[in-house]
Amino acid sequence: MLQYFMPTRVIMGEDSIKKNPSVFSEMGKKALIVTGKSSAKKNGSLDDVIEVLSKNGQSWSIYDKVMSNPTVECVYEGASHARAEEVDYVIGIGGGSPMDAAKAIAMLACQDITEDQLFSGNYGKEVLPMIFVPTTAGTGSEVTSASVLTHHKQKTKIGISSPVLFPDVAFLDAKYMDDLPRDVTVNTVIDALSHSVEGMLSVRANPLTDALASVSIRMIASCFEALKKFDLSRKDRENLLYASTLAGMVISSTGTVAVHAMGYSLTYFKNMDHGRANGVLLAEFLRFIEEHLPDKVEQILSYMGMKNVDEFKDLLDELLGLKEEITLDEINMYTEITMPKHNIKNTIVEPKKEDIFNIYKSSLC
Ligand code: NAP
Ligand code: ZN
């Protein structure tokens, strides 16, 4: 049985925010703008949103304290802000961190959910409407129903997920990425690539998600040379943004698999950016899958115009540069943390404990 659900309205193109003011006025009188500390103020996205709200005669309040890898504490603080300001809807602007925080804030502003219940998956239907403006091309959070939060008590990152968390509207405008630095660009592109590759290696993959993933992987691969030189045109930026949204549509159905489960410990304990954490593991994960399903891996590599996993690993090594050091004790600890994660069981070939250990080891030792 084939199932696919995508309720988010996607509006793509240059100046798409300014050309669609009614999308904002239809949401209510007052917005909570959820964003990170500084980039939205510099890349034009916040200015465009405020210009539209002002022209529409709408009011807004800004919550701009979202850090990278947002914490549980941050989303409760944002939700208190939303309640105090009595907002009607949420506008999330930024990379995956502000967008993920915005989703949790939109739900916590309407429902009394304790911290213990937050990861239970049992939520009511009440949520503030959401408009999202991605300013990185990587997470696809603008079209997924997941919000990934840092949970200090469990020393890891965990996703909350519910159909009510799908944003209502996503505006895709690559002009906000003109000055995205090299490291954020590379890490986020690799995150998007990882989403499409993992989506194809999920037990929930289907012909529709595979079709989206294949286009996404090909589009990302068409930018590999420009990425290596870090000489990206606006058209490349548009292709990467489109590809990352397609990859988000893939994982909204398939979920992510072992790579994301493993990457969370590298982010939590080694402070590695999310996309980088996936990138350092992806090639060795493909090698593990290849042992069981060589045709599947050959197909994925062919979308990138590559003949073998070594070629792919060379590319990732070139893009990611010198890797962080990791000890065997650390690998043992991360393996223990990774094994119970639901993305492990979601992997087309379910890795055993020693497989997870070996992927970490061959990737980072
Ligand atoms: P991010 O943490 O949102 O942003 C990384 C850095 O880039 C921040 O310093 C940010 O500035 C800056 N930045 C953002 N846009 C910029 C722009 N246009 N120009 C210049 N700088 C810019 O990174 P991300 O990789 O996009 O998101 C990672 C998060 O998303 C992780 O928490 C990950 O777990 C989550 N994620 C969620 C999903 C999902 O389905 N929900 C999927 C994958 C990943 P500011 O400090 O100003 O924000
Ligand atoms: Zn990701």
Side-chain angles (χ1 to χ4, degrees):
M1 188 172 52
L2 196 156
Q3 273 204 54
Y4 186 75
F5 179 62
M6 174 43 56
T8 305
R9 177 180 172 194
V10 177
I11 305 175
M12 179 164 187
E14 191 168 347
D15 293 327
S16 50
I17 289 179
K18 289 201 258 185
K19 288 175 184 164
N20 290 278
S22 61
V23 170
F24 293 82
S25 51
E26 283 159 12
M27 292 280 169
K29 288 197 180 105
K30 184 168 181 180
L32 176 71
I33 300 176
V34 176
T35 188
K37 295 203 173 67
S38 61
S39 59
K41 293 173 191 117
K42 295 181 198 150
N43 62 35
S45 52
L46 185 61
D47 287 345
D48 283 357
V49 166
I50 287 178
E51 186 182 316
V52 166
L53 296 180
S54 305
K55 283 190 181 155
N56 283 349
Q58 294 173 276
S59 55
W60 66 89
S61 173
I62 299 183
Y63 179 75
D64 60 1
K65 293 191 200 157
V66 183
M67 67 292 283
S68 282
N69 305 301
T71 58
V72 170
E73 293 75 16
C74 164
V75 296
Y76 275 98
E77 184 183 82
S80 304
H81 188 108
R83 286 178 190 230
E85 292 286 331
E86 297 185 351
V87 300
D88 302 308
Y89 66 105
V90 170
I91 303 173
I93 309 178
S97 299
M99 289 194 287
D100 279 8
K103 288 179 195 172
I105 290 169
M107 185 167 78
L108 292 170
C110 304
Q111 299 181 37
D112 292 317
I113 299 171
T114 64
E115 232 184 278
D116 289 339
Q117 296 167 330
L118 186 58
F119 298 98
S120 68
N122 296 323
Y123 319 113
K125 292 206 180 327
E126 305 80 32
V127 64
L128 294 176
M130 289 175 260
I131 297 177
F132 276 18
V133 184
T135 67
T136 63
T139 69
S141 179
E142 67 277 7
V143 289
T144 75
S145 58
S147 160
V148 186
L149 302 175
T150 299
H151 195 341
H152 286 304
K153 284 185 191 152
Q154 291 195 24
K155 289 195 170 23
T156 187
K157 297 182 65 172
I158 316 188
I160 60 175
S161 178
S162 160
V164 306
L165 294 178
F166 274 111
D168 296 271
V169 184
F171 282 105
L172 310 185
D173 189 340
K175 73 176 180 181
Y176 304 132
M177 287 153 218
D178 280 347
D179 297 322
L180 197 67
R182 183 190 181 279
D183 59 339
V184 185
T185 302
V186 165
N187 293 341
T188 48
V189 169
I190 291 175
D191 188 27
L193 180 63
S194 199
H195 293 162
S196 285
V197 170
E198 287 180 64
M200 290 188 69
L201 301 174
S202 158
V203 294
R204 288 188 272 156
N206 66 46
L208 211 157
T209 56
D210 278 357
L212 294 172
S214 72
V215 176
S216 159
I217 295 170
R218 285 192 175 101
M219 288 188 90
I220 292 171
S222 75
C223 296
F224 280 159
E225 286 310 313
L227 260 180
K228 283 196 222 167
K229 295 184 212 124
F230 194 50
D231 183 17
L232 294 159
S233 64
R234 173 67 69 77
K235 188 69 199 155
D236 291 328
R237 291 279 187 194
E238 279 171 0
N239 285 342
L240 291 173
L241 180 56
Y242 178 55
S244 90
T245 300
L246 289 182
M249 291 174 176
V250 172
I251 56 166
S252 75
S253 273
T254 63
T256 54
V257 300
V259 177
H260 269 62
M262 297 174 73
Y264 291 145
S265 281
L266 298 179
T267 298
Y268 192 87
F269 294 102
K270 290 290 190 186
N271 205 20
M272 257 190 231
D273 284 344
H274 172 73
R276 180 177 176 83
N278 298 325
V280 298
L281 299 165
L282 194 53
E284 291 302 329
F285 171 72
L286 279 189
R287 222 187 285 283
F288 159 72
I289 298 288
E290 193 180 35
E291 284 166 23
H292 306 268
L293 298 170
D295 292 353
K296 198 90 197 158
V297 173
E298 194 186 325
Q299 185 187 24
I300 291 169
L301 291 170
S302 75
Y303 295 155
M304 294 188 269
M306 291 184 186
K307 291 194 178 59
N308 53 50
V309 175
D310 284 336
E311 204 181 328
F312 182 48
K313 192 165 184 177
D314 287 347
L315 170 89
L316 291 173
D317 284 348
E318 183 174 346
L319 291 175
L320 293 169
L322 201 63
K323 288 184 195 157
E324 292 76 355
E325 283 185 14
I326 181 168
T327 66
L328 291 181
D329 283 348
E330 286 172 319
I331 293 183
N332 269 318
M333 178 175 71
Y334 303 166
T335 302
E336 293 297 333
I337 293 172
T338 299
M339 281 312 290
K341 292 205 178 284
H342 68 87
N343 338 37
I344 295 295
K345 287 211 175 332
N346 200 38
T347 312
I348 196 167
V349 180
E350 190 178 330
K352 298 188 189 66
K353 199 169 161 181
E354 64 264 30
D355 300 320
I356 295 295
F357 181 92
N358 288 333
I359 294 170
Y360 273 128
K361 191 171 164 214
S362 43
S363 300
L364 286 153
C365 286

